[in-house]
């Protein structure tokens, strides 16, 4: 399976490209006042308004830095109520991909209640990298906030 790699500070993370639609350069986002701090805002993606989650803010409590390698990973987010919608994931140092077999990832044995999206780990010559489980990124409340019209249709 192909994974796109990114960094949260010095740590490497992997996102399975199975639901990846596109990797786009960082663009200015329209803020969503009073949304959770890790909701970076909205952007226009090919004529659609797409919400963006800042993975650095979600995990480390600080906003992503605007670097040459900061990107928005547009994924096909599976909605709890059914169907899917595009969702942007803001990440730093998006500079490489890596092919890893599913069995390369092993359970950490650690369960952090506020970070269910941090999945299993794999090892390579540079150390550990951790999978990000996109299905667990949004709480039902945040999903309802970001995709209100989809929730109303169910």
């Amino acid at each position: 399976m192909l994974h796109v790699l990114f960094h949260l500070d010095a740590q490497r993370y992997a996102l399975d490209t199975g639901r990846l639609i596109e990797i786009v350069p960082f663009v200015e986002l329209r803020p969503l006042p009073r949304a959770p701090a890790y909701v970076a805002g909205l952007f226009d993606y090919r004529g659609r308004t797409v919400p963006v989650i800042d993975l650095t803010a979600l995990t480390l409590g600080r906003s992503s830095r605007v670097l040459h390698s900061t990107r928005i990973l547009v994924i096909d987010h599976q909605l709890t109520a059914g169907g899917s919608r595009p969702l942007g994931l803001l990440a730093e140092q998006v500079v490489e991909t890596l092919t890893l077999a599913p069995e390369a990832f092993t359970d950490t044995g650690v369960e952090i209640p506020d970070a269910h999206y941090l999945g299993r780990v794999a090892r390579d010559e540079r150390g550990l990298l951790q999978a990000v489980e996109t299905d667990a990124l949004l709480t039902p409340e945040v999903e309802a906030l970001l995709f209100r019209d989809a929730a109303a249709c169910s």
Side-chain angles (χ1 to χ4, degrees):
M1 294 177 7
L2 184 64
H3 294 78
V4 63
L5 304 185
F6 61 92
H7 289 77
L8 298 176
D9 285 342
Q11 303 304 312
R12 294 180 308 143
Y13 292 83
L15 183 78
D16 179 355
T17 59
R19 289 200 184 137
L20 184 66
I21 298 170
E22 186 175 359
I23 300 173
V24 298
F26 177 78
V27 295
E28 188 172 333
L29 302 172
R30 177 178 173 79
L32 290 170
R34 305 191 53 86
Y38 59 87
V39 177
L42 303 170
F43 82 114
D44 182 359
Y45 174 71
R46 302 186 183 280
R48 292 184 77 173
T49 302
V50 173
V52 177
I53 300 298
D54 185 337
L55 293 173
T56 306
L58 178 64
T59 306
L60 303 179
R62 69 158 177 86
S63 297
S64 286
R65 298 168 292 190
V66 179
L67 307 170
H68 288 295
S69 59
T70 300
R71 298 286 185 265
I72 299 172
L73 310 168
V74 182
I75 65 167
D76 185 33
H77 175 70
Q78 301 299 304
L79 298 168
T80 304
S84 67
R85 293 280 297 274
L87 174 67
L89 306 177
L90 185 61
E92 296 177 356
Q93 299 181 50
V94 180
V95 294
E96 64 183 307
T97 59
L98 183 63
T99 300
L100 292 166
E103 56 273 9
F105 288 88
T106 60
D107 191 6
T108 65
V110 177
E111 180 67 31
I112 300 173
D114 291 336
H116 292 293
Y117 56 92
L118 294 178
R120 300 165 7 128
V121 296
R123 293 166 182 77
D124 68 6
E125 66 280 351
R126 291 186 288 163
L128 295 176
L129 61 135
Q130 190 164 24
V132 172
E133 304 296 337
T134 58
D135 288 341
L137 277 171
L138 303 180
T139 64
E141 296 80 18
V142 172
E143 185 176 278
L145 171 76
L146 298 179
F147 302 110
R148 182 187 67 210
D149 58 331
C153 294
S154 62

